[in-house]
Amino acid sequence: MTRLAPNFTFEELTHTNHRGLLDANRELGRNHIGSIRAVAEMLQEIRDHFTSPVIVHSGFRCRGLNTAIGGSAYSQHVKGEAADFHVLGVPLGRVFDWVRNESGIKYGQLILEGVAADKPTWLHISLGEPFRDESKSRQAMTWDKTNGYRRV
C-alpha cells in the first residue's frame, strides 16, 4: 500500500469496480501521483475536521475508465486532480458548507452532486491553485437533473 496521507492510500484513490480496467487505472495513475497526493491531502483535512471516515467513490480515472462510466472528456479525474466522496454519518450539505465557508481548503471546484431520487449522493472536490489556473479556483456549485450546474 502506498500511503498518500495518514488515512488515504494510492490504491484507494485509484480503485474502480470495473475489474477489467483496475490494473490499467493504477498503472496510469502512477503518472499523476503528485496531484493524487494533493487530493488525498484535501480529503485528509476533511476527515480530520469531521473525525469520521471519508468514503471515496471515485478518484483518479484513466481515459478508458472515464469513458466507460460516461465522465466528461475534460474531467479533472483523468489528471488525478479530483475525487467524489462522502463523509460517513455527516450530511452532505454540512460538509459542503464547511469546506466552502470555513475550511480554508484551496479547492478548485466543490460540487454537491450525484443524484439518486433527486437528492445529492456525493461531493466532488478538485484541485485549484497551483495545479489549475485561477479561473477554476473556489467554484462552489450544486447539480440536479432539472437545473444542471448552478454556482452558489
Side-chain angles (χ1 to χ4, degrees), residues 24-151:
N25 199 57
R26 289 207 168 130
E27 183 178 326
L28 294 168
R30 297 218 177 273
N31 297 327
H32 303 280
I33 193 80
S35 54
I36 295 170
R37 183 181 309 279
V39 169
E41 290 168 355
M42 288 193 304
L43 295 173
Q44 187 67 50
E45 285 188 57
I46 295 165
R47 187 191 193 287
D48 290 348
H49 175 77
F50 289 103
T51 64
S52 187
V54 169
I55 309 302
V56 177
H57 300 230
S58 181
F60 171 76
R61 298 192 298 237
C62 66
R63 292 237 177 249
L65 176 58
N66 195 59
T67 299
I69 66 158
S72 165
Y74 305 103
S75 174
Q76 284 183 265
H77 287 274
V78 299
K79 296 178 182 176
E81 297 178 355
D84 298 334
F85 71 97
H86 75 275
V87 179
L88 195 62
V90 182
L92 291 172
R94 184 170 159 213
V95 177
F96 182 74
D97 288 342
W98 178 79
V99 171
R100 72 188 179 101
N101 294 325
E102 300 173 43
S103 73
I105 294 172
K106 294 181 181 348
Y107 62 86
Q109 292 180 319
L110 179 68
I111 308 170
L112 186 59
E113 67 180 350
V115 178
D118 289 332
K119 292 183 182 176
T121 53
W122 70 74
L123 289 163
H124 168 94
I125 194 165
S126 66
L127 298 179
E129 298 176 70
F131 288 88
R132 303 295 293 168
D133 64 50
E134 199 168 315
S135 68
K136 273 218 171 168
S137 290
R138 306 288 296 177
Q139 290 181 355
M141 295 178 269
T142 59
W143 184 90
D144 64 59
K145 288 180 184 178
T146 305
N147 302 300
Y149 290 100
R150 292 180 297 155
R151 284 187 126 173

